[in-house]
Amino acid sequence: MPEPQSSGSSRSAGPASRGSGRGRLAAWAASHARCLLESLGRLHRRWVASLLTVLVIGIALALPAGLYVLVKNLDTLASSWHQSVRISLYLKQDVSADSGQRLADDLAGENGISSTQFISADEGLRQFKQASSFGAALDALGSNPLPGVIEVTPEASLPPAAVGQLVDQLSKRRQVDHAALDQAWLRRLTAILALISRASWVIGALLSAAVLFIVGNTIRLDIENRRQEIEVMKLLGAGDAFIRRPFLYSGVWYGLLGAIVAIMVLVACYMALGGPLSTLTASYQGGLSLTGLSLRESAGLLAIGIALGWVGCAITVNRQLAAIEPR
């Protein structure tokens, strides 16, 4: 009967091994949860120093995040302005109203053009009389000096360089005498946005390094204050991973709380600027919507804060623990 006994023992060993594996996993999770709470308790016991560190980290994270929000809203504003760009095609005097309308219809179907509007010479003269006080002087001329005009609206997705190329192409049309577009301001705005965007990345990288140094220096001081405790733990056989764990969680708390402070700073700034922003939005007839950080962007900022706190702590702890040996 040996074979049935062997089979039964293997069946009993399987659940036992699975049970021991679940037990080890539960013990591992409980150990990490205990370290997480203990590290938060240490921050609470030194709440003044911890608060100052968290505030510095929060301000350091709020600056690049604020620049990101600024660039995002300026992009929205630039898109709104870009949609208002118009190319004015001044037709030659010998182009009739019917020919001008046909040309406007043909241009409306070309690539890069969103819409066209033909304004005849008579319509242009009537609009000019209504908008100015030179009606009597214009009537004295006897003939209409204004040419027909086609207002061309480029597609909103066209970059400024492509809009310039479109102006050059339209100016070469046989019926067109002159094509006008004041796009210098658009090029300057695009260059300013690119500069601010690049500056936000550079400042973000510099301040991220500053967060690493702040967390690292704070953890280094904490390790020095607990140097004797660490030496005793090493004498009792504790490994570096066990000693390192609470310090790493302290870095996580510093990064997480600093990111929360950064979000609160951005919300406070947005609320403080709510009045002027509402006035600016109203000037665009509600077509301009200014926003802060979205939920996904806020979660990303929290993740960045946690990562910076963890990395800054890990770099310092590994170096400091290697230099501490029990006497």
Side-chain angles (χ1 to χ4, degrees):
M1 303 295 292
E3 293 180 0
Q5 292 176 358
S6 174
S7 175
S9 63
S10 63
R11 287 195 298 270
S12 62
S17 62
R18 289 195 295 271
S20 62
R22 287 194 294 268
R24 287 194 298 269
L25 180 60
W28 177 86
S31 175
H32 279 267
R34 185 180 65 253
C35 287
L36 182 65
L37 295 178
E38 288 178 354
S39 61
L40 182 60
R42 290 194 182 95
L43 266 63
H44 180 265
R45 287 191 292 271
R46 298 179 287 104
W47 69 271
V48 175
S50 300
L51 179 61
L52 293 177
T53 302
V54 168
L55 289 177
V56 172
I57 294 174
I59 294 173
L61 293 176
L63 289 176
L67 283 176
Y68 169 78
V69 173
L70 176 62
V71 171
K72 183 176 70 171
N73 285 284
L74 287 178
D75 282 336
T76 304
L77 182 61
S79 299
S80 177
W81 283 343
H82 188 76
Q83 293 175 0
S84 64
V85 171
R86 298 289 187 273
I87 301 174
S88 298
L89 301 181
Y90 298 96
L91 304 181
K92 295 180 179 179
Q93 291 288 349
D94 57 351
V95 176
S96 64
D98 293 337
S99 299
Q101 185 62 56
R102 285 195 299 270
L103 177 60
D105 296 338
D106 294 339
L107 293 177
E110 294 189 359
N111 293 330
I113 296 178
S114 175
S115 62
T116 60
Q117 180 184 4
F118 174 68
I119 302 175
S120 65
D122 295 337
E123 178 66 21
L125 182 62
R126 184 166 57 253
Q127 293 178 3
F128 186 73
K129 287 181 178 180
Q130 293 176 355
S132 65
S133 58
F134 300 105
L138 292 174
D139 292 336
L141 293 177
S143 62
N144 188 355
L146 299 180
V149 179
I150 299 177
E151 296 288 342
V152 178
T153 303
E155 292 181 352
S157 59
L158 283 182
V163 175
Q165 295 176 359
L166 180 62
V167 173
D168 294 336
Q169 294 175 2
L170 295 177
S171 63
K172 297 177 181 178
R173 296 277 180 159
R174 179 180 57 81
Q175 302 94 327
V176 176
D177 184 40
H178 178 65
L181 171 65
D182 183 13
Q183 62 173 353
W185 63 271
L186 189 59
R187 288 196 297 266
R188 288 193 293 267
L189 177 62
T190 304
I192 291 173
L193 289 177
L195 178 61
I196 296 177
S197 179
R198 183 67 60 85
S200 65
W201 284 105
V202 173
I203 294 175
L206 294 176
L207 292 179
S208 297
V211 171
L212 294 178
F213 291 140
I214 293 169
V215 174
N217 186 64
T218 303
I219 297 300
R220 182 184 64 81
L221 294 176
D222 193 13
I223 292 175
E224 289 297 325
N225 292 333
R226 301 174 58 189
R227 187 181 187 91
Q228 294 182 351
E229 178 184 348
I230 294 173
E231 291 178 354
V232 172
M233 294 175 66
K234 285 194 172 184
L235 283 174
L236 295 177
D240 287 347
F242 179 79
I243 301 173
R244 184 190 308 116
R245 190 180 303 160
F247 295 106
L248 291 177
Y249 280 123
S250 295
V252 169
W253 282 118
Y254 280 126
L256 176 61
L257 295 176
I260 293 175
V261 169
I263 294 175
M264 294 174 62
V265 169
L266 292 178
V267 172
C269 292
Y270 186 84
M271 294 177 63
L273 299 175
L277 291 179
S278 300
T279 303
L280 178 61
T281 304
S283 67
Y284 285 88
Q285 289 79 37
L288 178 61
S289 177
L290 301 178
T291 59
L293 289 177
S294 64
L295 291 178
R296 178 177 297 181
E297 292 165 346
S298 298
L301 182 58
L302 294 176
I304 291 174
I306 292 174
L308 291 175
W310 179 280
V311 172
C313 182
I315 295 174
T316 302
V317 170
N318 291 333
R319 186 176 66 254
Q320 291 296 116
L321 291 184
I324 298 178
E325 292 296 335
R327 300 174 184 174

